[in-house]
Amino acid sequence: MSEDNLIYVTDQDFEAEVLKSDLPCLVDFWAPWCGPCKAIGPVVTELAAEFAGKVIIAKMNVDESPATPGKYGIRAIPTLILFKGGEVLDQVTGAVGKAQLAAMLEKA
Amino acid sequence: MAVKTYQLIIVGGGPGGLTAGLYAARARLDTLLIDKGAAGGQVLRTDWIDNYPGFPDGVSGFELADKMTAQARRFGLQPTLGEVVSMELRGETKKLYLADDKHLKAKAVIIATGASPNKLNVPGEVDLTGKGVSYCATCDGPFYRDMDVAVVGGGNTAVQEAVYLTKFVKTVTIIHRRDELRAAPIIQEAAFQNKRVSFICESEVVGIEGTTEVTGLRIKHADGEEEFKSFQGVFVLVGVSPNNWMLPKELALDNGFITTDGMMRSNISGVMAVGDIRADSIRQVISAAGDGAVAEKTAEQYLEHLHQNLRIVMERKKCSSK
């Protein structure tokens, strides 16, 4: 785990890090050319600190890892998907506020 | 713990808020700029800006937002994360309430909350958002390589982003309610010259079809006839609405936008508004930046005036205590 409590996942380690994770895991699908992804970035980083030990917060760059977003039908970013036990528990698209994301994580 | 009172709080970090922040930092006002995400605002979702002076070859919205933020930071402005959910603006000390139940206090407030893209409000839109319905061409264009997509709208954003999408998609069809586009002539020219862009005018989208992803649109023409057209994606770019849900009812609005005078003053003293949230704004980056500079100067004058009043009161007290 990096210093900022975030993990960075790719197509290669998505299954091991996210689907087989013991803890629920929120994946932020983003790309460097996406403005609203940039806007939501610091919110995701703050949540990673606040939910440390309860929910794993992961980031996946869809430019470098196109297979996973394709598998989950992602055609807009930022999309954030909450996984638990390998299943999709909830998901949200767009630069939503921190309060809405925190409420989603509370349910995990 | 006592809550500190800032001299100035700027709510929103788009070009208007960042410019006000830059000027406030240089004026050494004790300033907080608060935004619910990283600073930048709607510029972050604009692919290219050709009408901001100083960039003869144009500049990407992303880069401009970055540069504005860096410039304000250089003079000490610290954009802070937080979601303002309500405001108490009357009186000498303004209170801003945050989503996490905390609150902030300031002597002056500049409201730069901007605007957000409108929805079409048609069946299928909500369920298919992120599954073929998009509000940001620069974010989602690359997901539609070699596909047929529709752009709904006829203003600057719609037509410019339609042309941008031709970098990725096979065809773009602009669907517009009126018989002529509202976009600036130079933007229209680019669309008319692009072979991948076609138009369906005087027509309205009445439904978005698809179950797991968008399969097409139901379109109603001027003669009342409805038809289904197949698309794999639809970009909804039909104007913006003011981000005004956190504003108190005593703040004077016009159609949801804050009314101000030429000095960016609202009807409440010590409260200014800038950029897209302002009623007379022409909704351009350059005008938002200009508003920001004016509002900061107004804030400075207001604070000085407050301070003078305070000093008079203190001096009177001194005299009477003798």
Side-chain angles (χ1 to χ4, degrees), chain B residues 120-125 152 175 177 203-209 216-221 224-228:
Chain B
L120 276 177
N121 295 317
V122 298
E125 185 177 18
V152 188
I175 303 171
R177 278 186 308 175
S203 300
E204 223 173 308
V205 173
V206 291
I208 301 172
E209 303 276 327
L217 301 176
R218 274 193 296 118
I219 301 166
K220 189 179 178 183
H221 300 293
E225 196 103 333
E226 267 192 36
E227 94 174 296
F228 174 84

Side-chain angles (χ1 to χ4, degrees), chain A residues 31-43 46 62-63 69 73-79 91 93 95-100, chain B residues 36-39 44-45 62 65-66 81 83 99-100 129-134 136 138-144 147 213-214 232-233:
Chain A
W33 33 261
C34 157
C37 300
K38 181 190 165 82
I40 206 173
V43 173
E46 270 197 10
V62 302
D63 255 0
I74 292 171
R75 288 212 267 155
I77 49 174
T79 285
Q91 75 178 72
T93 296
V96 298
K98 188 179 168 191
Q100 188 183 338
Chain B
K36 71 184 174 81
L44 280 175
R45 54 174 79 219
F62 211 99
D66 253 2
L81 271 190
E83 223 175 325
D100 60 4
T129 292
K131 297 166 186 163
V133 177
S134 170
C136 178
T138 56
C139 309
D140 304 333
F143 292 104
Y144 294 87
M147 297 187 193
E213 54 186 31
V214 168
Q232 287 141 307

